[in-house]
């Protein structure tokens, strides 16, 4: 409750004593003014829409603004909607297929990039960031072509090796793998750099001492690198859960024939794509909001569960 | 703690390079392939075995991209949107980060905790009401609908707070204050110049994210003259159902500005990400 603050405990001390009352007032207000833009923007475009989603989900609401209160009808319809459960299954499947390989690849690459005497280190690091600066839209177009059933490079190679062509965009498993490959491609390098940063914070001497004690590369990795990486691994698991459950663009763009459903049998329609279809092509705002609520609950629950599990799993001692 | 004497444990084995080269190849090949198809045409793109050298058809296809959709306009739109967001984030997040790092005010810790917590909230799922708000502001099909929501973000505030707290000593701020500088002058003349590299990287990340954003522009933009490049390449993919050369040409042209930017600032971006806010 101190209004005048002693200079010793403050980064920014009060102005010299010749200040006017007006100036003193602006200095009390200043910090709030400096942080205000974020809070205003977050309120208007983040928090209020989020709360409003829960409200709109209780209505039969169309874009003109006509709305009829229907209570929990949207949710009970959702529970009985096979399209919803299909989208939920697709979302979880694609999320697992993209997150697990991405984090494992990043882990291995970070470990390799952490060699002190590695040549071309900057080249490798920069190259691995190229997918991150490439847009999802461009990625989806080029990957869909490379994975094409008849003319794609990948199927051509499979054919040379004597395998059957795989119909990546039209089959359930194929389309999930294709989307997962795109997500993994985009993020593994970025994630590897985050892991590398944490690894470089570990003093070299610890590795050297372990080597003197006869610990090989694998043991060094398990007992030194992995524990050091735990916080950043937890962070990336949680963020890739939040991102992975919201996949939209890849699914929209790989199936040109039926973009809003990601194919004729909704083989890769994710929940975000289902939300988009209901809200912005069927114009059922209330129903779309209910999907948003369901997805929101799912994201928070799975991100929380991941956080809970990954902070509890410890590397085996010994 | 580096030893001067080479140690056997430090020697990098050949397979380390092999694996890293494989990863680098995987990162670069899709873009190279995009370029191949963008310089030939659809007939070549679907020819097997595939062409592996660029053809001479690039300018023809690029011309077609520019005549099919208002591509120049969409590049300008993307530059306006991504540029405003990059600059906005750099300045507004530095300002808020400065307040959280160096000023004392009631509720500071609670407010900062709130900022950090918002990072975990998936607000993108509230897209229907977000659209309704944009609509009631009369911003549907405008660029400010894309710019304004992105001007400040929680990650940026966290990032700038860390940098300002560690890079700027209290003494230098006190010295400026004793010289009679106002709070704003202390920020703008003393603190901001000292953390300009961090603000630059933050602005860069904001620029890249905004340039590549798809879902929100796809929902908000209606008319082709307002398209950002990402929506323009989606339109290219629509309008010519099987013309891969055209779609790839557009994709390549939409990626090219970022690749050029990356050649100049990639080193700082890598350092920025590695130096990021995720330690502890």
């Amino acid at each position: 409750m101190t209004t005048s603050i002693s200079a010793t405990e403050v980064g920014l001390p009060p102005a010299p004593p010749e200040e006017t009352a007006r100036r003193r007032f602006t200095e009390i207000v200043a910090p709030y003014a400096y942080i205000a833009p974020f809070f205003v923007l977050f309120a208007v475009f983040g928090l209020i829409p989020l709360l409003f989603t829960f409200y709109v989900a209780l209505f039969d609401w169309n874009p003109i603004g006509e709305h009829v209160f229907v209570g929990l009808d949207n949710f009970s319809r959702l529970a009985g909607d096979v399209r919803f459960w299909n989208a939920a299954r697709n979302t979880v499947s694609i999320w697992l297929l993209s997150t697990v390989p991405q984090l494992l690849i990043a882990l291995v690459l970070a470990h390799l990039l952490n060699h002190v005497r590695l040549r071309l280190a900057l080249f490798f690091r920069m190259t691995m960031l190229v997918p991150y600066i490439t847009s999802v839209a461009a990625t989806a177009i080029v990957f869909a072509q490379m994975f094409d059933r008849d003319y794609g490079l990948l199927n051509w190679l499979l054919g040379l090796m004597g395998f059957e062509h795989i119909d990546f965009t039209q089959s359930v498993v194929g389309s999930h793998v294709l989307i997962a490959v795109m997500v993994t491609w985009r993020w593994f390098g970025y994630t590897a750099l985050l892991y590398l940063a944490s690894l470089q914070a570990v003093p070299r001497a610890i590795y050297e001492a372990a080597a003197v004690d006869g610990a090989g590369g694998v043991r060094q990795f398990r007992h030194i690198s992995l524990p050091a990486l735990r916080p950043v691994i937890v962070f990336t698991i949680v963020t890739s859960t939040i991102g992975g459950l919201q996949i939209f663009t890849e699914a929209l763009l790989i199936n040109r024939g039926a973009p809003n459903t990601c194919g004729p049998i909704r083989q890769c329609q994710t929940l975000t794509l289902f939300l988009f279809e209901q809200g912005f092509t069927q114009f059922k705002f209330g129903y779309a909001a209910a999907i948003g609520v369901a997805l929101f609950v799912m994201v928070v629950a799975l991100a929380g569960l991941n956080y809970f599990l990954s902070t509890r799993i410890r590397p085996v001692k010994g | 703690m580096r030893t001067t004497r080479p140690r056997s444990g430090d020697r990098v084995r050949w397979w380390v390079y092999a694996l890293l080269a494989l990863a680098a190849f995987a990162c670069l090949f899709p873009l190279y392939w995009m370029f191949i198809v963008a310089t030939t045409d659809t007939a070549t793109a679907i020819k097997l075995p595939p062409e592996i050298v660029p053809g001479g058809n690039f300018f023809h296809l690029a011309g077609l991209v520019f005549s099919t959709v208002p591509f120049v306009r969409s590049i300008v739109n993307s530059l306006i949107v991504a540029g405003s967001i990059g600059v906005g984030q750099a300045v507004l997040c530095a300002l808020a980060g400065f307040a959280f790092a160096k000023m004392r005010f009631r509720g500071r810790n609670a407010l900062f905790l709130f900022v950090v917590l918002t990072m975990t909230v998936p607000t993108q799922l509230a897209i229907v009401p977000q659209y309704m708000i944009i609509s009631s502001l009369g911003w549907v099909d405008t660029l400010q609908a894309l710019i304004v929501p992105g001007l400040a973000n929680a990650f940026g505030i966290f990032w700038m707070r860390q940098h300002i707290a560690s890079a700027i000593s209290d003494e230098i701020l006190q010295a400026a204050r004793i010289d009679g500088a106002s709070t704003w002058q202390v920020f703008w003349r003393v603190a901001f110049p000292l953390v300009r590299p961090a603000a630059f990287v933050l602005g860069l990340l904001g620029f890249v994210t905004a340039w590549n954003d798809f879902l929100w522009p796809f929902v908000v933009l209606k008319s082709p003259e307002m398209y950002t490049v990402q929506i323009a390449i989606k339109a290219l993919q629509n309008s010519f159902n099987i013309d891969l050369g055209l779609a790839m040409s557009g994709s390549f042209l939409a990626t090219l500005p970022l690749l050029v930017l990356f050649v100049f600032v990639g080193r700082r971006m890598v350092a920025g990400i590695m130096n990021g806010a995720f330690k502890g």
Side-chain angles (χ1 to χ4, degrees):
Chain A
M1 287 281 283
T2 42
T3 42
S4 71
I5 313 164
S6 77
T8 49
E9 62 164 25
V10 193
L12 195 63
E18 66 267 25
E19 69 186 18
T20 61
R22 186 184 134 84
R23 185 161 172 183
R24 181 187 291 256
F25 173 76
T26 62
E27 285 182 357
I28 292 168
V29 174
Y32 297 105
Y34 290 2
I35 64 172
F38 168 77
F39 284 91
V40 172
L41 292 176
F42 178 73
V44 175
F45 300 107
L47 194 60
I48 292 171
L50 197 60
L51 299 174
F52 202 46
T53 299
F54 287 82
Y55 179 73
V56 175
L58 303 173
F59 290 84
D60 200 345
W61 197 308
N62 71 26
I64 309 156
E66 292 166 350
H67 50 282
V68 183
F69 183 78
V70 293
L72 296 175
D73 273 13
N74 283 327
F75 291 100
S76 56
R77 267 178 58 211
L78 206 56
D81 190 338
V82 288
R83 298 171 304 177
F84 171 73
W85 293 109
N86 171 60
R89 265 195 312 277
N90 290 345
T91 304
V92 172
S93 158
I94 292 168
W95 163 63
L96 285 174
L97 284 172
S98 55
T99 306
V100 177
Q102 178 208 323
L103 301 190
L104 290 178
I105 295 170
L107 213 50
V108 172
L109 286 176
H111 184 64
L112 299 183
L113 284 169
N114 196 33
H115 277 279
V116 184
R117 296 160 68 88
L118 188 74
R119 289 163 201 272
L120 298 173
L122 184 67
F123 166 79
F124 287 124
R125 289 178 198 174
M126 277 182 68
T127 316
M128 274 162 214
L129 216 50
V130 166
Y132 168 78
I133 62 158
T134 309
S135 74
V136 186
T139 304
I141 290 169
V142 69
F143 273 75
Q145 204 277 333
M146 291 197 303
F147 282 69
D148 185 85
R149 186 190 62 189
D150 301 317
Y151 308 110
L153 286 179
L154 189 70
N155 271 320
W156 174 67
L157 285 173
L158 285 175
L160 286 185
M161 292 188 287
F163 293 103
E164 291 279 301
H165 280 204
I166 299 169
D167 198 345
F168 281 101
T169 56
Q170 301 303 313
S171 67
V172 176
V173 178
S175 61
H176 292 194
V177 169
L178 172 53
I179 293 172
V181 167
M182 288 192 263
V183 176
T184 302
W185 182 74
R186 187 164 153 76
W187 290 107
F188 79 83
Y190 186 92
T191 311
L193 289 184
L194 296 185
Y195 291 170
L196 179 60
S198 286
L199 283 182
Q200 294 197 332
V202 181
R204 286 277 140 202
I206 295 182
Y207 286 102
E208 283 164 17
V212 169
D213 290 346
V218 175
R219 283 175 66 95
Q220 289 182 23
F221 180 76
R222 258 183 60 194
H223 297 289
I224 304 172
S225 303
L226 218 49
L229 283 171
R230 265 197 30 211
V232 68
I233 291 176
V234 172
F235 173 84
T236 52
I237 289 177
V238 172
T239 50
S240 56
T241 303
I242 295 169
L245 292 176
Q246 299 182 58
I247 285 167
F248 173 82
T249 315
E250 294 92 338
L252 180 85
L253 286 173
I254 61 165
N255 232 312
R256 277 170 295 168
N260 293 329
T261 53
C262 195
I265 53 166
R266 297 177 185 269
Q267 59 266 37
C268 49
Q269 188 179 44
T270 58
L271 281 168
T272 316
L273 195 51
F274 185 45
L275 193 167
F276 175 83
E277 184 200 9
Q278 294 303 310
F280 298 103
T281 64
Q282 308 283 320
F283 300 111
K284 294 174 184 160
F285 276 6
Y287 200 51
I291 301 166
V293 171
L295 188 46
F296 180 81
V297 171
M298 216 171 114
V299 171
V300 171
L302 278 177
L305 182 70
N306 272 321
Y307 178 79
F308 180 81
L309 289 178
S310 47
T311 49
R312 260 153 197 78
I313 295 169
R314 285 163 191 286
V316 189
K317 292 266 189 286
Chain B
M1 285 242 251
R2 284 180 191 159
T3 50
T4 44
R5 189 169 56 90
R7 305 169 49 92
S8 61
D10 288 346
R11 203 175 65 232
V12 186
R13 307 293 173 89
W14 66 270
W15 53 264
V16 171
Y17 287 107
L19 283 176
L20 288 173
L22 185 69
F25 176 78
C27 289
L28 295 178
F29 182 77
L31 286 177
Y32 181 70
W33 180 244
M34 195 192 281
F35 182 65
I36 296 284
V37 181
T39 53
T40 53
D41 52 31
T42 306
T44 325
I46 63 178
K47 199 176 75 184
L48 296 173
E51 294 283 331
I52 50 162
V53 287
N57 212 11
F58 181 66
F59 292 101
H60 169 71
L61 281 171
L64 211 55
V65 169
F66 286 98
S67 61
T68 309
V69 287
F71 205 72
V72 176
R73 185 70 196 268
S74 44
I75 286 186
V76 172
N77 289 342
S78 278
L79 283 174
I80 293 171
V81 171
S84 313
I85 287 179
V87 172
Q89 282 189 9
V91 174
L92 290 178
C93 294
L95 205 48
F98 177 74
F100 281 123
K102 294 293 178 188
M103 296 167 95
R104 289 280 157 112
F105 51 93
R106 225 178 291 169
R108 184 178 75 162
N109 293 338
L111 288 169
F112 186 65
L113 182 67
F114 179 81
V115 171
V116 172
L117 284 177
T118 63
M119 274 196 260
T120 60
V121 184
T123 52
Q124 221 191 1
L125 305 177
I127 193 153
V128 170
Q130 279 161 353
Y131 181 81
M132 290 158 91
I133 286 173
I134 288 294
S135 173
S136 64
L137 290 169
W139 286 4
V140 171
D141 207 21
T142 65
L143 295 185
Q144 66 260 35
L146 311 184
I147 295 169
V148 177
L151 282 177
N153 66 7
F155 168 74
I157 292 174
F158 184 72
W159 165 276
M160 289 313 301
R161 198 204 84 101
Q162 301 296 90
H163 281 275
I164 289 168
S166 66
I168 298 174
S169 71
D170 291 349
E171 286 74 23
I172 192 168
L173 300 180
Q174 283 163 8
R177 179 44 63 86
I178 288 161
D179 289 346
S182 70
T183 311
W184 171 256
Q185 286 166 331
V186 172
F187 168 74
W188 190 244
R189 300 269 175 79
V190 182
F192 190 72
L194 287 171
V195 290
R196 203 177 283 151
F200 178 78
V201 172
L202 177 68
L204 216 54
L205 295 176
F207 183 94
V208 170
T209 308
W211 182 277
N212 288 335
D213 194 15
F214 187 88
L215 175 56
W216 185 236
F218 188 55
V219 166
V220 164
L221 302 177
K222 307 287 176 196
S223 48
E225 313 82 68
M226 301 314 290
Y227 284 174
T228 58
V229 284
Q230 306 307 328
I231 311 304
I233 61 178
K234 160 87 175 91
L236 279 178
Q237 197 208 24
N238 277 357
S239 58
F240 284 74
N241 217 19
I242 52 157
D243 200 336
L244 282 167
L246 187 66
M248 294 279 212
S249 224
S251 302
F252 183 73
L253 288 171
T255 310
L256 195 58
L258 287 197
L259 286 175
V260 171
L261 183 71
F262 190 68
V263 168
F264 291 104
V265 297
R267 181 194 287 260
R268 285 164 95 179
M269 235 163 111
V270 170
I273 286 169
M274 287 189 49
N275 187 7
F278 312 112
K279 291 185 205 156

